[in-house]
Amino acid sequence: MAGDGRAAIRPIKRLVEDDFLSRPGVVGVDIGHKAVGGRCTGVPSIVVYVRRKGDAAQFTVPPDVLGIPTDVVEDTFYPHHTLASPEGVNGAERHDLLVGGIGVGPSRAVRFVPPDVAEADDYLVAGTLGALVTPRAKRRTMALTAFHIACVDDAWAVGDPMVHPSRVDGGHPYRDQIGVLARAALSGTVDAAAILLTTPHSRAEVAGIGPVAGQGVARVGGHVRKRGRTTALTAGVVASTDAAITLDFGVGLGVRTLRDQIRVEGPFADHGDSGAVLLDDDNRVVGLYCGGSRQRGFANPIANVLDQLDVDLVVQS
């Protein structure tokens, strides 16, 4: 979709975004191309994501908004962390050198109850360490991940210990500590946290991709790659930078709306990949992965993440 077409649709999409998202069953609003019978028509449209077609939500979406067609797509989006009971841990890859793309999680177990899980229990959480960052006012090394990986619920606190491998993957709650939670942000555009590392064994690169070259901007049609704890190395194409989605973080945090998100179509990531960074062809970080479905994934724009955590990316010199 040409930049001019998207720019013309954007204010109209924003005009109806809150109204659509408030309707039962609606989980996202975006800009894309209308599909008919599973085939892309190439017609620019406002895309409305619903949990199930046929629900009342579908019939409340008008066929067009101020002349812009709408397209109703069935999907459901989830924060992509992995949960396991303490009895269900297993071995996973272990890295002596901390780099982006490897598993990480909090040392503490978190109490989850239905409907967030099938049965009430103390659960362990796993996600992905994305990249190295440093506070803008101090020379310290931190590791970037998602808020819902490092903080999990509303009982989080600065100083919470973090481990690699995650405890889900067999990490020890004390011997495998790599740092402590230092900063966090869960806002209208960002789901992010920074871990202050307590080990000097780290490098500014992403496993399987290479050194981080700096900060970039996601552009529609641009290629991106990520390395996540669960699906390892995957690649995709940026389909939008205008997505507004709802994610249910459960456990005291509830349903939150994230706006201006990067959308990547296709099977890009899965549970356990939250916290991974998206890199462009020049190895510049453009986004921080937060969740999605089997059909598509979403990421926070990296500029918003860095600004809200007040950090900068560490690059290899």
Side-chain angles (χ1 to χ4, degrees):
M1 185 185 302
D4 290 343
R6 185 173 289 271
I9 295 173
R10 189 172 292 124
I12 300 173
K13 175 250 189 185
R14 287 177 175 167
L15 183 68
V16 298
E17 186 173 275
D18 287 343
D19 179 36
F20 284 1
L21 288 171
S22 70
R23 304 186 186 198
V26 175
V27 297
V29 181
D30 200 358
I31 299 174
H33 289 127
K34 187 175 180 67
V36 176
R39 293 192 174 186
C40 180
T41 65
V43 177
S45 66
I46 297 173
V47 181
V48 183
Y49 294 102
V50 299
R51 290 192 183 92
R52 284 181 299 275
K53 284 189 175 183
D55 285 352
Q58 180 188 5
F59 299 104
T60 63
V61 178
D64 69 86
V65 178
L66 298 180
I68 304 299
T70 60
D71 189 19
V72 179
V73 176
E74 186 174 295
D75 208 347
T76 302
F77 308 133
Y78 300 95
H80 271 165
H81 52 20
T82 287
L83 302 179
S85 67
E87 293 75 25
V89 300
N90 52 62
E93 61 180 11
R94 177 183 293 270
H95 294 255
D96 294 330
L97 192 66
L98 297 181
V99 296
I102 66 176
V104 70
S107 177
R108 70 185 177 107
V110 178
R111 189 73 176 177
F112 281 82
V113 299
D116 296 327
V117 290
E119 58 183 82
D121 200 353
D122 292 328
Y123 286 83
L124 305 174
V125 178
T128 300
L129 185 156
L132 300 184
V133 294
T134 185
R136 289 172 175 170
K138 299 177 181 178
R139 297 299 299 174
R140 294 179 178 174
T141 304
M142 294 180 171
L144 187 63
T145 190
F147 178 98
H148 68 271
I149 299 301
C151 300
V152 189
D153 62 2
D154 58 357
W156 67 275
V158 169
D160 285 346
M162 302 290 149
V163 297
H164 165 77
S166 72
R167 290 189 62 192
V168 172
D169 299 321
H172 191 275
Y174 306 112
R175 292 194 299 270
D176 290 322
Q177 285 187 18
I178 60 166
V180 296
L181 178 61
R183 301 181 181 191
L186 182 60
S187 69
T189 58
V190 165
D191 165 16
I195 301 165
L196 178 62
L197 297 181
T198 53
T199 170
H201 305 297
S202 62
R203 183 179 296 164
E205 64 181 54
V206 176
I209 296 179
V212 172
Q215 176 183 341
V217 177
R219 304 191 186 281
V220 174
H223 293 88
V224 289
R225 296 166 293 165
K226 77 100 188 68
R227 211 274 186 175
R229 168 231 178 236
T230 302
T231 60
L233 185 60
T234 59
V237 176
V238 175
S240 175
T241 57
D242 291 285
I245 62 171
T246 60
L247 294 176
D248 188 353
F249 293 103
V251 200
L253 299 175
V255 176
R256 302 295 184 99
T257 299
L258 296 177
R259 305 179 192 274
D260 300 324
Q261 300 297 286
I262 301 164
R263 172 167 57 91
V264 180
E265 285 293 299
F268 188 66
D270 205 343
H271 291 273
D273 289 335
S274 281
V277 293
L278 277 58
L279 298 102
D280 63 16
D281 288 337
D282 296 317
N283 275 16
R284 295 175 301 185
V285 176
V286 300
L288 179 69
Y289 186 77
C290 63
S293 68
R294 292 184 179 181
Q295 289 76 40
R296 51 192 57 88
F298 298 91
N300 313 155
I302 195 62
N304 293 346
V305 171
L306 299 179
D307 284 346
Q308 291 190 32
L309 293 180
D310 197 26
V311 297
D312 289 315
L313 286 165
V314 177
V315 300
Q316 268 202 41
S317 54

